[in-house]
Amino acid sequence: MKRFIGFIKKEFYHIFRDRRSLFILFGMPIAQIMLFGFAITNEINNVDIAVLDHSKDATTKEIINKISASKYFSINQFIDREADIETIFKKGKVKAVLNFQKDFSKKLIKDHKATIQIITDATDPNTANTVSNYVNAILQQYQKGLNKDITITYQIVPQTRMVYNPELKSVYMFVPGVMTIILMLVSAMMTSISITREKELGTMEILLVSPIKPIQVIVGKVFPYIFLSIINAIVIVVLSIFIFKMPVQGSLFLLAMESILFIISALALGILISTISATQQTAMMISLMGLMLPVILLSGFIFPISSMPLPLQLISNIIPAKWFIIILKGIMLKGVGLQYLWKETLILIGMTIFFIGLSVKKYKIRLE
Amino acid sequence: MKTILYIIQKEFKQIFRNKGMLPIIFVLPLLQLVILSNAATFEVKNIKFGYIDNDHTSTSRALVEKFNASTYFNVLTDFPSEALASSSMLKGEVDVLLQIPHYFERDLQKEKQNSLGVTINAIDGAAAGVENVYVTQILQSFNQNIKASLLQVSDKQIQPIAIETIPLFWYNKTLNYKTFMVPGILVLLVTMITLFLSGMNIVREKEIGTLEQINVTPIKKSQFIIGKLFPFWVIGMGLLTVGLILAKVIFNVPMIGSLPLLYFYTSIYILVILGIGLFISNFTDTQQQAMFIAWFFTVIFILMSGLFTPIESMPKWAQTLTEFNPIRYFVEVMRMVMLKGSGFMDILPQLLKTLLYAIIMNGLAVWSYKKTT
């Protein structure tokens, strides 16, 4: 035991001696959470719209003003010909064109009906669809104003409540995601690289012929990183509470426990990667190339899992990050406790045990 | 020239000798392109929908049936009580909940107006907004139906004014997300592979101690750097080629613009990335440090590139920051050329900025690379 403690001490010294790496480990996640918390949003704001107005009468002017007054759109270009639409779309700045038909006001008065084309650059389907919906909503409002003398009969009006995030802040969606990605990648990368490094430099041999047991070697190497990751997690949570005003409706203690569990599962994954890689380069490429995209795309961090094709929904279940994001949102935003999160917690525990078990099995004392 | 060729030969041998790395460089990225492009969709469908029907009349049943018939909603269950429904919402089993009040049908006929409760899980604000639009649309068409069936002769109707909108989706009529995402994800894979490999390469020589040996040879600084980086430029272009073929064959992504233009742009772009990689290796001592810095910038570049979330929605200062993000330009160019057929003049701003970036980055990298004696 005394030897083991000595070994852990050595590992700690090893890490804390390298000032530059320490700065990288702590500085970078902080920089990232600050940047993403403020900058990333999947809302649609300030979309550039151009107008092709064939009537230029009072009504169309009023509608254009209504649309450009909304925070979603900025109208800064007026074009005169259909042929110009293609030209501005190819430049890529303008995402939609509103095309008002001729004699708009006259038609409204005479036929009670007039037409606007909403032409969108649908290479980005999400923006195109959202722009269409928002313009429609604004026009509906405008229409209501025109028809206010007519009593509308037989109407069911929805009373809508947005729960858990009444202000629809996108920060609530992204902060848990960013926190998960940082913890996952940093933890997995750190352990996989540091263990593989010993292998590559040949010092693993020396450790293995020492009286310390192989399992102790691994635990000893990982221990400082658990400590570092926990500090990272604390910093991220504190930042998200004080700077991004993320609520913690549920128990802070549970949040801490779940974070430690997730960190251990990521470290265990790192150990597993180190058992299958011979060189640091391989270990890094597996943890970076292999983990980054799946974790970003399949964890529900940006894209809703329920909209994915079924095979991918099934694959998403093996991504630990998915479960941790559910847990984070549950504790922070819904304020639920273990009675609602026991399933996700058990899955994370199961994965951790599985990773560790597999690593122990694969861990070859003799290096090829 | 001969010297450079020898170094290139050596590098290629080293890359292809490492059996563990080959699948990671070539198979893993393309596999991800094929599989993960399907995940990147902002469509909202299969919405988990529940309802509480306190009315149990033909009208309330007809309303639920409307939701059932919609392709967006998966109608789950009729909850017997509010408590059960909200607990189900906490568990994440339901995202949209409809509450139909007592005497819903009776009041509708008497008052000609009625309200019902809709509760939406809004943690994903954007999805909640879309769900709200869907609910409103269903209720509107339901209103039209009851109007037609309940309208009595005594109700005089003046024809209301209607502004009709016709949505036209150019370049992508079916609103297919894959045509939008495949080019973007391909950009990402080409970038990641070239950056990680070049960023680690020279540091590795440092760490193993072989850089010292090269430094005492008569090889010039420029020869060494060109010889080192050229293989990764080739690998990047190769990945782009295979990726474009997969995009066409598997996803049928259109290629409207000029392919040579795309290759011309990419050849400059990869130089930027290699410059960044070299720059990182000059300022780090171990592969671990190099990797972390490469990772740090990659994550920032990815999430601030407009690849997944729109740049114009970011705050102004963040939009300014994205001007320094090479991935942003490549994503824009790739999508513009492939999907809209933008030409040389359309992508000129991106091209010039990328070229400038390449010159500055490589200048800095070569300048900071010292052949220490």
Side-chain angles (χ1 to χ4, degrees):
Chain A
M1 196 64 210
K2 204 162 148 214
R3 265 202 212 105
F4 179 53
I5 289 171
F7 178 66
I8 289 185
K9 264 197 188 144
K10 165 200 157 260
E11 285 298 321
F12 260 106
Y13 284 136
H14 214 49
I15 293 172
F16 284 92
R17 206 178 42 203
D18 182 359
R19 286 290 140 89
R20 201 184 313 177
S21 293
L22 266 189
F23 174 75
I24 292 172
L25 283 180
F26 286 118
M28 290 193 322
I30 293 172
Q32 281 175 342
I33 195 118
M34 294 295 291
L35 188 62
F36 299 148
F38 282 116
I40 299 188
T41 164
N42 56 355
E43 295 158 28
I44 303 287
N45 297 319
N46 313 317
V47 177
D48 272 320
I49 292 193
V51 170
L52 174 55
D53 187 351
H54 291 290
S55 333
K56 299 201 171 64
D57 56 34
T59 318
T60 60
K61 282 210 175 67
E62 207 174 343
I63 290 174
I64 292 166
N65 285 339
K66 279 252 182 306
I67 288 170
S68 89
S70 114
K71 70 167 178 126
Y72 301 118
F73 306 118
S74 54
I75 294 181
N76 49 13
Q77 222 176 332
F78 289 84
I79 51 178
D80 304 318
R81 296 172 307 140
E82 254 82 4
D84 295 340
I85 300 175
E86 178 97 32
T87 321
I88 54 172
F89 274 170
K90 279 193 172 166
K91 288 242 174 297
K93 237 183 109 48
V94 172
K95 302 278 191 257
V97 176
L98 298 179
N99 186 358
F100 292 87
Q101 72 172 126
K102 257 198 168 57
D103 305 327
F104 197 87
S105 296
K106 279 195 204 127
K107 276 206 148 49
L108 270 188
I109 293 161
K110 214 176 84 195
D111 314 341
H112 286 243
K113 201 164 153 178
T115 310
I116 303 174
Q117 280 184 340
I118 308 169
I119 304 164
T120 41
D121 169 358
T123 44
D124 176 353
N126 190 41
T127 303
N129 205 6
T130 314
V131 165
S132 257
N133 284 335
Y134 286 174
V135 171
N136 255 329
I138 293 172
L139 289 171
Q140 289 264 340
Q141 278 297 341
Y142 181 74
Q143 210 172 287
K144 262 206 189 111
L146 294 181
N147 291 326
K148 60 177 178 296
D149 305 336
I150 304 174
T151 47
I152 305 282
T153 47
Y154 300 122
Q155 277 281 31
I156 298 169
V157 186
Q159 303 284 343
T160 310
R161 281 193 316 139
M162 295 281 183
V163 286
Y164 314 129
N165 180 8
E167 294 168 45
L168 301 186
K169 288 184 177 173
S170 61
V171 132
Y172 286 9
M173 166 95 176
F174 286 110
V175 167
V178 171
M179 178 171 163
T180 306
I181 285 200
I182 292 175
L183 287 180
M184 175 93 212
L185 288 166
V186 171
S187 309
M189 269 196 302
M190 281 190 305
T191 41
S192 66
I193 294 172
S194 73
I195 296 177
T196 322
R197 187 170 181 195
E198 301 265 4
K199 270 198 205 170
E200 201 176 8
L201 299 179
T203 44
M204 199 52 132
E205 294 278 8
I206 300 165
L207 282 175
L208 290 176
V209 293
S210 73
I212 302 172
K213 291 194 188 73
I215 185 92
Q216 288 181 326
V217 172
I218 299 296
V219 172
K221 286 207 83 60
V222 173
F223 195 79
Y225 288 121
I226 293 184
F227 181 76
L228 284 176
S229 297
I230 287 173
I231 294 179
N232 250 339
I234 292 171
V235 171
I236 294 174
V237 170
V238 167
L239 284 178
S240 48
I241 292 172
F242 287 101
I243 294 183
F244 299 116
K245 305 281 180 278
M246 274 293 282
V248 181
Q249 312 268 18
S251 126
L252 254 176
F253 175 74
L254 182 64
L255 185 70
M257 289 297 113
E258 296 278 10
S259 303
I260 291 173
L261 170 63
F262 179 67
I263 287 168
I264 293 175
S265 78
L267 294 173
L269 186 61
I271 298 171
L272 184 60
I273 292 172
S274 73
T275 58
I276 53 175
S277 356
T279 63
Q280 284 185 76
Q281 235 183 342
T282 316
M284 287 179 219
M285 289 305 269
I286 293 179
S287 16
L288 275 176
M289 286 304 300
L291 290 179
M292 183 125 79
L293 264 190
V295 168
I296 290 179
L297 289 175
L298 294 178
S299 63
F301 160 44
I302 298 180
F303 299 103
I305 294 175
S306 56
S307 300
M308 293 174 194
L310 194 62
L312 280 174
Q313 291 191 41
L314 295 175
I315 294 175
S316 77
N317 291 331
I318 60 172
I319 308 275
K322 168 188 169 170
W323 304 106
F324 188 55
I325 287 180
I326 294 175
I327 291 170
L328 279 182
K329 285 177 179 170
I331 298 175
M332 288 176 128
L333 301 170
K334 294 181 173 180
V336 292
L338 258 186
Q339 73 270 31
Y340 283 101
L341 298 171
W342 59 268
K343 199 176 81 191
E344 288 80 4
T345 311
L346 272 186
I347 290 173
L348 276 186
I349 292 174
M351 282 179 173
T352 312
I353 293 170
F354 175 76
F355 292 148
I356 293 175
L358 204 58
S359 311
V360 169
K361 242 183 104 127
K362 283 195 77 85
Y363 197 78
K364 301 190 185 73
I365 291 190
R366 288 271 154 259
L367 299 167
E368 293 103 66
Chain B
M1 196 63 216
K2 219 165 150 186
T3 322
I4 294 181
L5 284 177
Y6 276 123
I7 302 173
I8 290 174
Q9 214 180 351
K10 156 192 168 287
E11 289 300 321
F12 269 121
K13 272 197 182 134
Q14 277 186 324
I15 294 168
F16 287 99
R17 204 174 44 198
N18 187 343
K19 291 283 175 282
M21 283 295 272
L22 281 182
I24 298 173
I25 297 176
F26 293 102
V27 182
L28 193 67
L30 297 166
L31 200 66
Q32 293 192 2
L33 178 73
V34 172
I35 295 175
L36 294 177
S37 297
N38 293 293
T41 170
F42 275 119
E43 269 176 292
V44 181
K45 46 186 191 186
N46 314 326
I47 303 167
K48 302 169 191 154
F49 175 85
Y51 61 97
I52 306 169
D53 186 354
N54 292 318
D55 194 39
H56 299 292
T57 53
S58 60
T59 308
S60 73
R61 272 193 290 273
L63 180 61
V64 170
E65 199 35 56
K66 266 257 184 238
F67 280 92
N68 214 348
S70 144
T71 47
Y72 300 116
F73 293 94
N74 288 348
V75 175
L76 278 172
T77 35
D78 173 358
F79 290 103
S81 74
E82 294 269 348
L84 278 171
S86 69
S87 143
S88 191
M89 202 142 198
L90 283 174
K91 280 192 192 123
E93 292 162 352
V94 179
D95 284 328
V96 176
L97 182 69
L98 194 72
Q99 289 132 307
I100 305 174
H102 289 288
Y103 307 122
F104 175 74
E105 185 181 70
R106 196 193 69 187
D107 292 356
L108 184 66
Q109 288 169 353
K110 240 178 33 196
E111 319 279 332
K112 303 190 178 169
Q113 275 257 3
N114 205 335
S115 68
L116 48 75
V118 177
T119 310
I120 299 177
N121 165 14
I123 289 180
D124 181 348
V130 176
E131 283 158 3
N132 196 15
V133 169
Y134 291 157
V135 171
T136 317
Q137 281 172 351
I138 289 184
L139 285 177
Q140 266 178 356
S141 84
F142 189 73
N143 284 340
Q144 294 293 340
N145 292 356
I146 38 179
K147 227 187 247 161
S149 65
L150 292 178
L151 214 50
Q152 292 137 11
V153 190
S154 59
D155 296 318
K156 270 214 189 60
Q157 281 285 311
I158 311 161
Q159 196 196 3
I161 288 177
I163 297 172
E164 192 190 18
T165 51
I166 304 172
L168 295 170
F169 299 113
W170 281 24
Y171 309 116
N172 185 358
K173 281 187 186 55
T174 52
L175 291 185
N176 178 348
Y177 268 88
K178 291 185 201 85
T179 54
F180 182 57
M181 284 300 176
V182 170
I185 290 177
L186 181 55
V187 163
L188 208 61
L189 295 167
V190 169
T191 308
M192 277 161 71
I193 287 282
T194 44
L195 178 68
F196 295 155
L197 289 178
S198 63
M200 266 187 304
N201 188 293
I202 292 182
V203 181
R204 181 152 179 264
E205 303 249 12
K206 261 196 219 175
E207 210 174 1
I208 303 174
T210 43
L211 196 61
E212 295 282 336
Q213 295 167 9
I214 290 177
N215 282 339
V216 294
T217 60
I219 298 172
K220 288 196 188 67
K221 192 156 94 166
S222 58
Q223 290 173 329
F224 176 66
I225 289 173
I226 292 170
K228 268 274 182 212
L229 296 184
F230 181 76
F232 299 125
W233 186 86
V234 174
I235 288 177
M237 292 307 254
L239 269 179
L240 175 78
T241 308
V242 182
L244 286 176
I245 294 169
L246 287 178
K248 187 79 212 155
V249 173
I250 296 181
F251 295 104
N252 200 11
V253 177
M255 180 71 221
I256 297 171
S258 132
L259 203 55
L261 180 67
L262 199 59
Y263 270 87
F264 174 63
Y265 176 85
T266 309
S267 61
I268 297 171
Y269 171 82
I270 294 181
L271 292 182
V272 178
I273 300 301
L274 294 177
I276 294 175
L278 180 60
F279 195 68
I280 291 174
S281 26
N282 292 340
F283 284 94
T284 46
D285 302 321
T286 62
Q287 292 180 72
Q288 200 171 355
Q289 287 173 349
M291 226 45 238
F292 270 117
I293 292 179
W295 169 77
F296 172 69
F297 282 108
T298 313
V299 173
I300 289 181
F301 282 165
I302 292 175
L303 292 180
M304 307 274 293
S305 67
L307 172 61
F308 299 134
T309 57
I311 288 182
E312 61 257 24
S313 302
M314 293 177 184
K316 277 279 168 281
W317 59 266
Q319 291 192 40
T320 312
L321 273 184
T322 62
E323 296 274 343
F324 297 95
N325 179 355
I327 296 189
R328 173 196 166 162
Y329 298 126
F330 195 11
V331 168
E332 281 174 357
V333 168
M334 193 86 152
R335 283 172 174 166
M336 282 162 74
V337 174
M338 281 180 84
L339 309 177
K340 286 192 278 201
S342 301
F344 180 79
M345 288 316 285
D346 294 316
I347 66 161
L348 194 61
Q350 282 91 343
L351 189 70
L352 288 177
K353 284 174 189 164
T354 308
L355 190 60
L356 185 71
Y357 214 135
I359 294 167
I360 292 176
M361 216 53 236
N362 285 290
L364 279 176
V366 172
W367 168 76
S368 62
Y369 176 80
K370 293 185 196 64
K371 258 184 87 162
T372 37
T373 40

